[in-house]
Every structure is written in structure tokens, then in C-alpha cells.
Amino acid sequence: MEIKKVIKLTPNQVKDFVSAATKCDFDVDVSYNRFTVDAKSILGVFGLNFDCPLTVRYRGFNKEFENYLSEHAVAC
């Protein structure tokens, strides 16, 4: 089952986000509108628009990653 979370990041938080995603043993995608990138790619994530909420999609569980996403969650 796909899990979808909406988060807000600043450019200064990209390195920590990518680091958290890289520790997952499953694919993690992050998107804005129709533009989707691999969350484990620092260059891809830097190409996103940080003025708007980002959608993170994945199929798996990693406690550290869940905690990171919770810290940056946006109420929908």
C-alpha cells in the first residue's frame, strides 16, 4: 500500500531530508504538482519548488523516516 505524506521543506533542510530518505530500503518519491523526483537524489530535490508543500510517496516503513516526516508535516 502506498503511503502519502505532505511536508514543507526549506532549501536548508534538503540535505537532511535526502539523508533520511537514503536510509530507507524502499523507493521514496517526492513531488510538486506533476513533477516527481527520487527523494534520494539531492539534485532532484533541489529542483523542486520550496514555496509550496511537497508530497512524499513510498511503500515501506522506516521509523526514523516517519519521525522526520512528522516533524515537517503540513496539515491538510
Side-chain angles (χ1 to χ4, degrees):
M1 174 173 57
E2 182 178 78
I3 300 168
K4 181 173 104 172
K5 305 266 174 110
V6 179
I7 63 168
K8 186 85 167 125
L9 291 177
T10 65
N12 293 336
Q13 296 168 324
V14 169
K15 183 179 175 189
D16 290 337
F17 172 74
V18 171
S19 177
T22 301
K23 293 175 185 170
C24 299
D25 61 353
F26 46 86
D27 291 337
V28 181
D29 292 325
V30 60
S31 61
Y32 165 71
N33 283 344
R34 295 183 188 176
F35 188 64
T36 302
V37 298
D38 182 349
K40 298 177 184 182
S41 166
I42 196 159
L43 290 176
V45 176
F46 266 121
L48 297 172
N49 182 349
F50 297 105
D51 293 331
C52 300
L54 304 172
T55 302
V56 182
R57 289 184 172 87
Y58 53 97
R59 294 174 186 262
F61 180 81
N62 178 294
K63 187 172 176 64
E64 286 182 44
F65 190 59
E66 293 291 333
N67 291 340
Y68 185 89
L69 293 179
S70 294
E71 292 173 17
H72 300 281
V74 172
C76 293

